[in-house]
Amino acid sequence: GFFASRLDDDQYLARWASSGIRLRRWLINGLLLYLHEQVRSERRHRRLGVLPESLAAAVDRGFEQVYARSLVQQAMDIARARCEAEGQSLHWACFLARHGDAGELAALRQAHGLSSGQSSHMVRVATARFRKALVELVLLDGATPGEADLEIQKLLRSLGS
């Protein structure tokens, strides 16, 4: 399909590198072009209509959601690894419990003899590690430091869709 057709072209990634466009946007644009090519090909054979704008928007939204989930998972993996490397596995467990099941956080507090303040501090430490990892990934994707917060907001909005 799409990736095979594009990566078969030896210059595809070189054109992206010289374009100045973020890889995510380059791939979305390429996928939309590929879909238009497929519709044209089918139309020649079956007389189908053009690719509707709603389909193009759905492809864009779908790609953004998958990208956002992937980025969040990568940031979680990085933050967890950093917490573990610093002997703060319990911080990460509190972070996960805080954003999951409240009963689980209470159970962690009880099992480890933590006060509410101690577990809150642990959650803040792990949250800072997660946020730092997310910012690093957004910057790696091509955002500038000034755009990082806006990019993260967009990611979170795409997950809410």
Side-chain angles (χ1 to χ4, degrees), residues 109-149:
R109 283 182 189 140
Q110 184 175 9
H112 295 278
L114 300 173
S115 69
S116 177
Q118 288 171 314
S119 66
S120 292
H121 171 74
M122 291 177 166
V123 168
R124 283 191 299 276
V125 168
T127 298
R129 289 205 175 43
F130 171 70
R131 174 139 176 71
K132 182 178 182 200
L134 198 53
V135 167
E136 289 168 357
L137 291 170
V138 167
L139 294 175
L140 189 61
D141 184 49
T144 65
E147 297 170 329
D149 286 337

Side-chain angles (χ1 to χ4, degrees), residues 20 41 61 135:
S41 175
R61 255 190 331 275
V135 167

Side-chain angles (χ1 to χ4, degrees), residues 59-92:
V59 167
D60 195 37
R61 255 190 331 275
F63 190 93
E64 289 296 327
Q65 287 174 344
V66 169
Y67 172 76
R69 283 188 199 108
S70 172
L71 212 62
V72 166
Q73 185 60 57
Q74 288 177 59
M76 288 179 69
D77 292 344
I78 291 167
R80 178 188 43 75
R82 288 177 179 167
C83 284
E84 289 173 356
E86 295 179 23
Q88 297 177 331
S89 296
L90 186 54
H91 290 63
W92 188 249

Side-chain angles (χ1 to χ4, degrees), residues 17-38:
S18 66
S19 73
I21 297 173
R22 291 184 185 169
L23 180 58
R24 176 172 93 241
R25 175 51 45 197
W26 180 265
L27 291 173
I28 290 171
N29 291 347
L31 179 59
L32 291 172
L33 178 60
Y34 175 79
L35 290 173
H36 283 289
E37 291 167 353
Q38 294 301 307

Side-chain angles (χ1 to χ4, degrees), residues 8 13 15-16 19 22 24 34 48 85 94 103 128 157 159:
D8 190 43
L13 292 177
R15 285 193 306 275
W16 161 69
S19 73
R22 291 184 185 169
R24 176 172 93 241
Y34 175 79
L48 291 178
C94 287
R157 273 196 309 272
L159 289 173

